[in-house]
Amino acid sequence: MITCFIRYEIDPFARQDFAQYAAAWGQAIPRCGADLIGYFGPHEGSATTAYGVYTIDSLAAYEVYRTKLAADPLGRENYEFAKRKRFILKEDRIFLKNMSLPHGPAGTDPEVLP
């Protein structure tokens, strides 16, 4: 399993456009085969940094997913929306593997573990 982190630099005056873009991916990405963790936009601090995060089985599965996403009507519409509105100033994509698995249960005091 790999996780794709997409870092966006967005127009700070077009946060609503980014929110619309993110909501559309919330429908299209899972339908095309990736497990969407979420799209995250500015709330406090930077007004220009946003993220999209999803997991997928492998880079081979990613290639299949990208083909499906490009053919998906909502996916195509969303790409065109971003292109037309120009609210994304920069986009960087990186694939990472979770190195901390398995995680321990939340709130567990390490002093009392067997």
Side-chain angles (χ1 to χ4, degrees), residues 7-82:
R7 182 185 180 280
Y8 296 95
E9 182 181 331
I10 63 170
D11 179 340
F13 301 104
R15 287 174 22 179
Q16 281 307 110
D17 288 333
F18 185 79
Q20 181 179 335
Y21 175 79
W25 286 138
Q27 301 304 308
I29 288 174
R31 181 170 59 225
C32 292
D35 184 18
L36 182 64
I37 294 169
Y39 268 72
F40 303 86
H43 176 70
E44 186 68 31
S46 172
T48 60
T49 303
Y51 294 91
V53 183
Y54 61 88
T55 61
I56 196 150
D57 289 335
S58 64
L59 287 176
Y62 171 74
E63 293 304 325
V64 172
Y65 153 79
R66 291 290 291 180
T67 300
K68 288 181 182 178
L69 196 61
D72 184 84
L74 182 55
R76 282 195 316 268
E77 182 181 312
N78 215 26
Y79 285 128
E80 288 304 315
F81 172 69

Side-chain angles (χ1 to χ4, degrees), residues 74-91:
L74 182 55
R76 282 195 316 268
E77 182 181 312
N78 215 26
Y79 285 128
E80 288 304 315
F81 172 69
K83 190 174 167 182
R84 184 175 66 254
K85 297 290 245 168
R86 303 180 63 117
F87 54 87
I88 297 173
L89 307 177
K90 185 177 178 185
E91 179 178 333

Side-chain angles (χ1 to χ4, degrees), residues 4-8 54 62 66 91-95:
C4 179
F5 290 85
I6 308 167
R7 182 185 180 280
Y8 296 95
Y54 61 88
Y62 171 74
R66 291 290 291 180
E91 179 178 333
D92 294 313
R93 185 178 315 265
I94 187 170
F95 294 89

